[in-house]
């Protein structure tokens, strides 16, 4: 995607800038924080994803002529504000959790320090990206956790917005998925892509055998043949007849997958296709994957439930002003007192408290300064942007490795799929 | 968004094209159909949205040098297939439900007639757009139905992917929302945008009164002041003190909104601000809106539940090959027989059966030919693309009017929020 990201923004961010420019408060040094008040119902942990995409979007967050003209035409803000927007370059500092890191309620996953005006207008784009990508990564992590060593294939593009699909493939890869069906995710982010054929390909040919012959002739015997268009046992016979016992894989997309996988495995073995793998698809989620643990399945293809966050399509993160400078240039903590939505004032720092044998014990959040570290603990916040310059440049594989390592440090209850509390508590340390 | 949409596509669409080009079957004239097997659990009707966006995306569905090079590098398909893709222009015909139309299980919302290869590679982009936009529109329609004459404001951008947010604002407008917070939706689609201030603006200033004074000075007394940052009664007093009795509106974003709205209305009236409106926000969905019917609320702001489809984030539409020509050039119906996923073979036509007094009675789907029309019935399918040329060019307001008119024709049970069956049955007429 090319072009400016500046209008992927809520109207009120710009009217607030207008009013604050007029009052003079726009230039107060401010600290904004992104965090989730809670995890989605019953979830044991969350996952931060989207950080890299957000920094890409920040580089394109420019009000060019086209954007300014649109705002002028629609009378969104006044001319002094348009002038200010035309010159907008983020010159502040952003720290936060590195991509792939595990997060908990209250974790300060992003901290933006800038003038009020420079910081406030990033609210919408920051939340859009982090809320979407983190929701997908959190669901994906539960799925790869349930799948263990078996690869998971992301194939949900058709069930979500066409651009959300690309971001979902990226987030799923960070959380341990092996491949995606989405070609744009391959092109933009280097996520490995895979795929073979749909039922339409079989229906197009005069017989299933003719379709399989055509597929094997073109894609080789290592391909995956979809065997459930008509009748599975007949499909498996046709598949092995077409490709030989060196057939790469068969895919089952319907029926009771546990029963189906056992039957297909037996049939393949009896036909001599002992190395032919079994891919299952069909509305899988983390619970279905867990149920299939004991079945002879080699790969899971996951679509709808991945791209919709498996019941939690948004991560519930908010972007809050937590401090600003006063007339003496001192940072003072601020927080709203709205019912059920009160927030904790002041700049936060975070650390994961670890036992001596490397198991996470608590999410420790220091108010105003870094929490004390007994030596085993792991600091969580890294520099992302310093004085307007992007310094965070981790690639996807680094984020993916980080996710795997961070998840492996959680207590074993983390990967239980039953509903429960966050697997470690969040503790605030107030040094004030 | 600029650029090619061609890689917003699943890998297997292209490998199917490769195998079908090799087998010769790629050129068989084929009919693909988009439909939902069922509505989301308990919903009474669905809404078609995204048609216009899909036709925009189709115009940009081109494999240019960059796309071809990406596919070559990643060895997705072979050279003959790359040559074919480089020359790809959709030359077929697409009919379907016009945007904003109500739909039911089995409704053929899109029918693509083209060669197999030309048609099959549109599967992913067509489903991504229609599944997302229709899911949002269906949720939005329930909300505007519950809100009656009171305007609904779309403000969910921060809770969904940044580009999905733009499409969601567009879909919500079709389904009757009045405005959106999303500036890009204003720029690209002309959706009216609105917004005033967040809690951060109040927290930035030394006092709530100073914040309100700043907002009124810059945005005028017709603005909306957010009164729940600290204490609502104090906030309302500050608001009227800052703006006078001509204050446009106050917004309440927390607490019990029914109780809050009554208290604020009484206080505003007592202060003489009888024309000041009350906007409520805070995790509203169609049920909360219905609950607020008897409260003195003037506008609803809806975020999360709108952009996540209020429990149904995807419309569940599928793209199926339903017919292709045989060796004699005759179209023959095809359908898979997979367990629980069997489909109905053959090209479909659709009509809404209407009673003489204009109430919808049934969704009638003709197999192979148009259903009979007793004179009151309403044909549902329009030409979208003819021989590769786009002919459908309805603007958003036309789609919005169509939606309102089509919903108004449904039996009254359609707008009940309780879970139930589709409000009219789908009937197949088989002329074969």
């Amino acid at each position: 995607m090319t072009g400016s990201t500046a209008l992927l923004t809520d109207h009120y961010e710009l009217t607030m800038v207008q009013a604050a420019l007029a009052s003079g408060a726009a230039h107060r040094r401010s600290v904004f924080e992104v965090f989730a008040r809670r995890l989605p119902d019953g979830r044991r942990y969350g996952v931060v994803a989207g950080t890299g995409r957000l920094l890409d979007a920040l580089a394109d967050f420019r009000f060019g002529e086209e954007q300014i003209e649109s705002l002028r035409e629609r009378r969104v803000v006044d001319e002094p504000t348009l002038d200010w927007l035309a010159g907008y370059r983020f010159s502040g500092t952003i720290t936060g959790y590195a991509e792939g890191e595990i997060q908990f309620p209250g974790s300060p996953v992003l901290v933006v320090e800038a003038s009020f005006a420079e910081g406030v207008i990033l609210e919408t784009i920051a939340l859009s990206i982090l809320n979407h990508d983190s929701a997908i990564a959190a669901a994906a992590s539960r799925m790869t956790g349930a799948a263990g060593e078996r690869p998971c294939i992301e194939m949900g593009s058709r069930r979500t917005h066409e651009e959300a699909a690309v971001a979902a493939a990226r987030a799923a890869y960070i959380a341990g998925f092996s491949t995606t069906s989405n070609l744009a995710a391959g092109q933009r982010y280097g996520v490995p892509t895979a795929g073979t054929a749909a039922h339409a390909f079989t229906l197009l040919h005069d017989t299933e055998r003719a379709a399989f012959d055509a597929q094997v002739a073109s894609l080789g015997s290592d391909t995956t043949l979809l065997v459930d268009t008509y009748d599975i046992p007949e499909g498996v016979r046709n598949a092995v007849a077409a490709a030989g016992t060196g057939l790469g894989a068969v895919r089952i997309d319907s029926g009771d997958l546990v029963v189906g996988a056992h039957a297909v495995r037996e049939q393949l073995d009896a036909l001599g296709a002992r190395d032919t793998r079994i891919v299952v698809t069909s509305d899988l989620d983390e619970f279905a994957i867990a149920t299939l643990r004991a079945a002879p399945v080699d790969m899971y293809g996951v679509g709808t439930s991945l791209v919709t966050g498996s019941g939690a399509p948004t991560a519930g993160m908010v972007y809050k002003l937590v401090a600003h400078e006063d007339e003496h240039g001192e940072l003072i903590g601020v927080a709203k007192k709205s019912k059920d939505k009160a927030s904790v004032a002041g700049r936060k720092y975070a650390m994961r408290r670890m036992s001596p044998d490397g198991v996470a014990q608590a999410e420790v959040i220091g108010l105003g300064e870094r929490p004390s570290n007994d030596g085993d603990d792991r600091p969580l916040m890294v520099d992302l942007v310093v004085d307007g310059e992007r310094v965070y440049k981790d690639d996807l594989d680094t984020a993916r490795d980080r996710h795997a390592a961070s998840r492996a440090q959680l207590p074993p209850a983390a990967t239980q799929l039953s509903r429960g509390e966050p697997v470690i508590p969040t503790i605030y340390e107030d040094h004030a």
Side-chain angles (χ1 to χ4, degrees), chain A residues 354-377:
Chain A
M354 307 294 292
S355 70
D357 54 345
V359 179
Q361 306 289 307
E363 192 81 340
V364 185
I365 297 174
L367 297 174
E369 58 183 78
R370 286 178 178 72
S372 51
N373 189 332
D374 72 3
D376 295 312
D377 301 341

Side-chain angles (χ1 to χ4, degrees), chain A residues 311-346:
Chain A
T314 185
M317 293 177 186
V318 294
Y319 186 99
K320 294 293 166 196
L321 179 69
V322 294
H324 63 73
E325 65 180 353
D326 63 14
E327 61 267 39
H328 312 296
E330 295 288 309
L331 270 187
I332 53 166
V334 294
K336 64 176 176 171
K337 300 192 170 70
S338 315
K339 275 180 196 163
D340 309 325
K341 291 186 177 176
S343 44
V344 179

Side-chain angles (χ1 to χ4, degrees), chain A residues 187-207:
Chain A
Q187 180 196 30
R188 290 188 210 164
Y189 301 116
V191 180
T193 66
T196 50
H199 295 104
F201 186 80
T202 298
L203 293 172
L204 170 68
H205 289 82
D206 296 329
T207 64

Side-chain angles (χ1 to χ4, degrees), chain A residues 155 228 251-255 257 280-285 288 301-303:
Chain A
M155 38 182 272
D228 72 341
R251 175 159 78 99
I252 316 173
D253 182 51
S254 55
L257 296 174
V280 294
T281 56
S282 188
D283 284 331
L284 296 184
D285 61 12
V302 188

Side-chain angles (χ1 to χ4, degrees), chain A residues 358-418:
Chain A
V359 179
Q361 306 289 307
E363 192 81 340
V364 185
I365 297 174
L367 297 174
E369 58 183 78
R370 286 178 178 72
S372 51
N373 189 332
D374 72 3
D376 295 312
D377 301 341
R378 191 157 67 81
L380 291 166
M381 305 185 71
V382 300
D383 286 340
L384 302 174
V385 174
V386 175
D387 296 336
E389 289 299 315
R390 175 177 182 163
V391 295
Y392 176 88
K393 290 170 185 172
D394 283 357
D395 63 16
L396 273 200
D397 284 308
T398 304
R400 181 178 158 91
D401 292 346
R402 174 182 299 116
H403 176 68
S406 182
R407 187 175 66 186
Q409 293 174 340
L410 297 178
T415 49
Q416 286 175 11
L417 295 179
S418 55

